Amino acid sequence: MWLLLNVCVFCLLQCGEGQDRATLWRGNDRSGHCQYTFTVPSPSETSCPPTASGGPEMEGLKARLSLLEVLVARLTGGKTGGPGLGAGAGSQAGLKEALTQAMGERSLLQGEKERLERDVEGLQRRVEEMKRETERLKSRPCYPQPPLVPPSVPLQDSGLRPAGGAGVLSHLVSRPGRQGDTGSLRDPAWQYGGNAGFQELKAEVTEVPAPSTEDQEDSTGCGELISIGEPVSHRKADSIAGKYGVWMQDPEAVVPYGGKMVWRINTVGSEVRQLFGYEDMDQLSKGFPSKVLLLPEPVESTGATLYRGSLYYQRRRSRTLLRYDLASESIAARRDLPHAGFHGQFPYSWGGYTDVDLGVDEQGLWAIYSTNKAKGAIVVSQLDPHSLEVKRSWETSIRKNSVANAFVICGRLYTVASYTAPNTTINFMFDTATGQGKQVALPFRNKYRYNSMVDYNPAQRKLHAWDNFHIVSYDVRLGHQ
């Protein structure tokens, strides 16, 4: 570089006075090195002879022009329209397409990441809940469990015999040697803080006044309801789909399913069609279904029931009743319930589209509903279990939306006053034999404070209920006719 400077100084000296228009230019060449260029007018030549390459000045000019064209193309988005820039415009379009695709993939990945983060948060909350529940159970003392009933008292007189002739409360206890047996029920609410037999007998003695000799329990026939026992929990639903539901056992079971088979439907959702079957109460408490059926038409609310090998239920958003045969897994009969309100016209007080409630007692199949003609009062109708035809109907004096639930025992309709109050009552009874109704006040407990289903099982003499995710049952006592 110093040699070039010396040459330039010499040229300036040789040019003499008047030749002071020399210029100095500094810039980077193509390889990025700094280059100094002096320009001095020729004292004798008016123009330079042409050369093949054009000289270093021309090469530098071309390089700067090319760089300028690239910069202009980038600034204008490739829309220069000049010759020689087609390749740059194509590259720009390719880059834009690649950028758009990358941004789309980034959005998808971001959405997946957020979903996974929500799932992880939910699992972490579940783990924390399980840890707290484990600590709570660890802190509970374990008590020895003496025999529930003294040997001198016959089981058939104690009012504690489960269905099917099993041992006392054996249908609530896990069976060893079965798949998935954990040695205890998974529902922590079932655990008793003391003697289970004592608590059950205490409920029968202390919470209900001693009946008179005129109301002694008749274990062989029908009678008026005189008391309801404490709720016994069998299982808690695992998800929000089980907040409301219905569970059933067939009081007159036929092949291929026996009377111990338990059926369950979670009724939260717009297309409720799954029917879960369990071999017995033990498998229900463990959550191991042996059968899952997909119903051909969706279920409306919690009013389904089971009778003589068929599931009876209301089709969603209609007054149509369906009889689903469990053996053939098909619809065996369908019929509209005449003039019945549906889908929120005449529900129970808790809502849930409970316009039509089906049930079974010692006398057969019943429907509890209302009509415009009845102006919202409860209508109870006895149905033909084969054809679903109405055999006879009675109109009561109590409004359907003023009670939380209803069921039929021995041809008598009973209503539950509240679905949330922990200590409520059976507040009304209507006798279809006489056509007369009356106010009653039988204590009834909503242990989990949101009871969305109460049905009677005549074979077991129990009420089945679904109370805020919990599947529960109640023993009942009846007086003689």
Side-chain angles (χ1 to χ4, degrees):
M1 184 174 70
W2 288 108
L3 178 61
L4 181 59
L5 289 173
N6 290 332
V7 171
C8 292
V9 172
F10 174 77
C11 292
L12 289 172
L13 294 175
Q14 293 296 323
C15 288
E17 292 186 26
Q19 306 295 333
D20 55 353
R21 291 177 295 171
T23 58
L24 172 64
W25 179 84
R26 183 182 65 175
N28 292 332
D29 60 8
R30 292 183 179 180
S31 61
H33 295 94
C34 182
Q35 185 179 37
Y36 290 84
T37 304
F38 290 92
T39 303
V40 181
S42 172
S44 59
E45 295 176 335
T46 59
S47 63
C48 295
T51 60
S53 61
E57 293 86 354
M58 183 62 66
E59 291 299 326
L61 180 62
K62 287 181 178 181
R64 292 194 298 275
L65 181 60
S66 298
L67 180 61
L68 181 61
E69 288 176 344
V70 171
L71 291 175
V72 171
R74 289 183 179 179
L75 291 174
T76 60
K79 301 179 181 179
T80 58
L85 296 180
S91 301
Q92 189 72 14
L95 288 174
K96 282 187 175 181
E97 182 178 356
L99 178 61
T100 303
Q101 183 177 359
M103 291 178 66
E105 293 176 353
R106 179 179 178 274
S107 299
L108 292 175
L109 292 175
Q110 184 69 22
E112 186 68 16
K113 176 187 174 185
E114 293 175 356
R115 186 185 67 80
L116 292 174
E117 287 176 348
R118 289 194 298 269
D119 291 345
V120 169
E121 291 176 0
L123 290 174
Q124 288 176 345
R125 288 195 298 270
R126 186 71 181 272
V127 168
E128 293 299 324
E129 291 175 0
M130 294 177 68
K131 286 181 179 179
R132 289 194 296 269
E133 186 65 23
T134 301
E135 294 298 325
R136 186 179 68 83
L137 293 176
K138 284 181 179 180
S139 64
R140 282 188 172 186
C142 295
Y143 297 97
Q145 185 169 346
L148 297 179
V149 181
S152 59
V153 180
L155 285 178
Q156 61 269 24
D157 296 333
S158 66
L160 296 176
R161 174 179 289 277
V168 178
L169 295 181
S170 63
H171 62 306
L172 304 181
V173 183
S174 300
R175 299 178 182 175
R178 299 292 289 270
Q179 179 182 2
D181 184 23
T182 60
S184 63
L185 292 175
R186 290 172 57 186
D187 182 7
W190 183 86
Q191 303 290 342
Y192 286 102
N195 185 313
F198 173 76
Q199 286 190 351
E200 192 74 16
L201 292 175
K202 179 180 178 182
E204 295 290 347
V205 174
T206 61
E207 294 194 5
V208 179
S212 66
T213 55
E214 297 180 353
D215 291 329
Q216 291 300 316
E217 180 181 2
D218 182 0
S219 61
T220 60
C222 267
E224 188 172 328
L225 180 64
I226 60 175
S227 69
I228 301 169
E230 287 291 292
V232 177
S233 300
H234 304 291
R235 176 168 173 76
K236 182 179 180 181
D238 298 323
S239 66
I240 188 60
K243 180 175 177 60
Y244 319 127
V246 55
W247 72 283
M248 307 153 285
Q249 286 182 283
D250 195 337
E252 297 185 22
V254 298
V255 292
Y257 305 107
K260 292 185 178 180
M261 191 79 174
V262 185
W263 300 90
R264 171 180 66 87
I265 303 174
N266 294 336
T267 59
V268 175
S270 59
E271 286 290 323
V272 177
R273 296 175 60 191
Q274 285 187 321
L275 175 64
F276 298 89
Y278 303 82
E279 291 181 358
D280 50 30
M281 294 297 296
D282 182 44
Q283 295 302 302
L284 172 70
S285 67
K286 294 175 183 177
F288 299 141
S290 60
K291 189 76 173 179
V292 180
L293 300 177
L294 187 64
L295 301 174
E297 300 187 47
V299 179
E300 181 86 303
S301 197
T302 61
T305 193
L306 204 64
Y307 188 51
R308 295 179 181 177
S310 292
L311 173 72
Y312 296 85
Y313 69 95
Q314 175 193 1
R315 188 185 186 279
R316 178 169 171 77
R317 291 181 177 271
S318 75
R319 59 171 59 94
T320 302
L321 303 183
L322 302 174
R323 178 167 75 88
Y324 177 80
D325 182 67
L326 296 176
S328 63
E329 299 181 9
S330 62
I331 298 294
R334 71 172 62 232
R335 184 180 295 271
D336 281 358
L337 187 59
H339 312 296
F342 63 93
H343 204 65
Q345 288 181 290
F346 303 111
Y348 289 127
S349 59
W350 72 272
Y353 304 124
T354 51
D355 301 74
V356 178
D357 191 7
L358 303 175
V360 175
D361 76 341
E362 292 81 358
Q363 299 180 13
L365 180 65
W366 298 86
I368 303 168
Y369 59 104
S370 188
T371 64
N372 287 327
K373 181 180 178 182
K375 299 180 180 179
I378 290 180
V379 176
V380 57
S381 296
Q382 191 168 21
L383 307 179
D384 184 294
H386 181 74
S387 65
L388 299 176
E389 183 180 0
V390 175
K391 298 165 66 175
R392 191 175 177 188
S393 296
W394 295 262
E395 183 178 320
T396 71
S397 60
I398 188 167
R399 297 184 64 82
K400 192 164 184 290
N401 63 6
S402 69
V403 298
N405 229 300
F407 53 91
V408 180
I409 299 179
C410 296
R412 296 179 176 91
L413 173 76
Y414 296 91
T415 62
V416 183
S418 172
Y419 62 95
T420 56
N423 296 296
T424 184
T425 60
I426 305 297
N427 63 345
F428 181 80
M429 185 272 288
F430 180 86
D431 191 345
T432 59
T434 63
Q436 299 297 317
K438 66 177 182 178
Q439 301 292 325
V440 295
L442 300 176
F444 184 86
R445 282 201 64 199
N446 295 311
K447 184 175 182 179
Y448 302 103
R449 302 191 179 191
Y450 208 104
N451 215 328
S452 59
M453 164 250 174
V454 181
D455 277 342
Y456 174 61
N457 186 296
Q460 300 177 356
R461 287 284 171 87
K462 291 180 182 292
L463 293 178
H464 293 177
W466 196 295
D467 189 358
N468 200 13
F469 294 94
H470 293 266
I471 292 174
V472 300
S473 64
Y474 303 78
D475 288 324
V476 299
R477 294 185 62 195
L478 306 178
H480 64 79
Q481 289 284 67

